[in-house]
Amino acid sequence: MKKTIAIVNQKGGVGKTTTSINLAASFALMKRKVMLIDLDPQGNATVGSGAGKNDFTATTSDVLLNEVAITDALIKTEGGYDLLPTNNELIVAEVQLMQATVQREMRLKQILAGVIADYDYILIDCPPSLNILTLNALAAADSVLIPVQCEYYALEGLTALLNTIEQVQTTINPRLNIEGLLRTMYDGRNRLALDVSSQLTQHFPNRVYRTVIPRNVRLAEAPSHGLPVVQYDEKSQGAVAYLTLAGEMLRRVEESQKEHEKA
């Protein structure tokens, strides 16, 4: 089953890019064909995937502006997945998309139509805001994965994001659904983290992944080496957690297919 998943949270610093990189690498290790799209002008997923500024001649911006075919902009990574790289030129594309008057939210979906059959998973690392770039991701995606840091403001921000997703469902992408909620940077010794985690599972019992991403030094170090943590230190807690998450997601897909076949 092929899937396009937008990894979204309008709050920054919740592990969104870390999740994008390491989930892409984990799926690749499990022999899935994966594309990671860096849709954040900060370009952290690009740098964290080991792509230097001189490693690419075309970016997400060029693709969105129809100046370059997506197949000509993709680069191979050491993590085993294809990357559509980004730098701050993406701001130019963002401005032009905002000024467009026809189907400006559908540009990415139209672009992916020609390559979607080539991949098992397309992951989109979204900017930490609900802007036109994020709307393009939500329009193109089958589902949304939401990293949630277990802290005080987590539930309030999550409510706003879920409202946005509902609006997208009713206007531009009726097939969009919630892939799951992922607890990130988790410290089980922290009482607040325990409380927020409990509230998440209580309010969204079927959407919260069993897998929890812990606070982990190796996970924090890996981006500076341009590697997913599953390559930087495959035995670290962070690497094990993301591999476990990928396995959990694949099992969910298999279970869903079995239920569909029974029906």
Side-chain angles (χ1 to χ4, degrees):
M1 183 177 182
K2 298 178 182 296
K3 271 194 173 185
T4 300
I5 303 174
I7 300 174
V8 182
N9 194 320
Q10 75 274 30
K11 188 178 184 303
V14 298
K16 179 177 54 60
T17 298
T18 298
T19 296
S20 300
I21 293 171
N22 288 291
L23 190 55
S26 296
F27 280 142
L29 281 173
M30 296 176 178
K31 308 302 181 184
R32 268 51 177 197
K33 185 74 184 295
V34 185
M35 180 201 299
L36 173 59
I37 298 174
D38 190 347
L39 204 61
D40 185 346
Q42 297 178 85
N44 290 336
T46 299
V47 176
S49 295
K53 292 183 179 180
N54 298 320
D55 291 343
F56 51 89
T57 56
T59 68
T60 308
S61 177
D62 299 312
V63 173
L64 287 175
L65 295 178
N66 293 323
E67 295 175 353
V68 175
I70 187 170
T71 50
D72 294 331
L74 292 170
I75 60 176
K76 301 289 185 181
T77 69
E78 290 188 35
Y81 52 89
D82 292 345
L83 172 71
L84 182 58
T86 285
N87 54 29
N88 57 15
E89 291 178 0
L90 186 55
I91 296 172
V92 176
E94 181 182 356
V95 172
Q96 292 199 28
L97 284 173
M98 289 174 64
Q99 295 172 343
T101 56
V102 180
Q103 291 193 317
R104 59 186 184 179
E105 301 93 351
M106 308 302 288
R107 186 74 59 84
L108 183 60
K109 179 180 179 179
Q110 294 164 353
I111 290 166
L112 291 180
V115 296
I116 198 166
D118 299 332
Y119 293 90
D120 297 306
Y121 285 93
I122 297 176
L123 305 180
I124 309 173
D125 182 31
C126 297
S129 58
L130 299 176
N131 58 17
I132 188 65
L133 295 173
T134 303
L135 284 177
N136 264 264
L138 295 177
D142 299 305
S143 59
V144 181
L145 190 158
I146 307 173
V148 182
Q149 188 178 357
C150 293
E151 61 172 21
Y152 181 71
Y153 293 109
L155 293 177
E156 182 178 345
L158 180 58
T159 300
L161 177 56
L162 292 176
N163 288 338
T164 298
I165 292 171
E166 186 174 339
Q167 291 173 12
V168 171
Q169 289 171 325
T170 57
T171 53
I172 60 176
N173 187 0
R175 77 180 190 284
L176 186 67
N177 60 68
I178 305 297
E179 185 73 24
L181 307 179
L182 176 66
R183 291 164 288 177
T184 60
M185 292 183 265
Y186 185 78
D187 185 351
R189 299 167 299 179
N190 185 314
R191 180 58 184 269
L192 178 59
L194 290 170
D195 289 345
V196 173
S197 176
S198 177
Q199 290 182 56
L200 284 171
T201 54
Q202 180 180 347
H203 286 89
F204 309 100
N206 298 318
R207 292 179 173 176
V208 179
Y209 290 111
R210 294 174 184 169
T211 306
V212 175
I213 309 302
R215 287 191 178 276
N216 180 246
V217 173
R218 293 300 197 194
L219 202 52
E221 290 175 347
S224 66
H225 294 270
L227 290 171
V229 72
V230 294
Q231 286 190 309
Y232 178 63
D233 186 349
E234 63 181 8
K235 295 182 180 179
S236 67
Q237 288 185 336
V240 171
Y242 275 109
L243 286 167
T244 303
L245 172 65
E248 181 177 353
M249 293 177 70
L250 292 176
R251 284 194 300 275
R252 283 190 178 189
V253 170
E254 291 173 358
E255 290 171 0
S256 176
Q257 288 178 328
K258 289 179 181 178
E259 289 178 3
H260 180 72
E261 290 171 359
K262 289 181 180 178

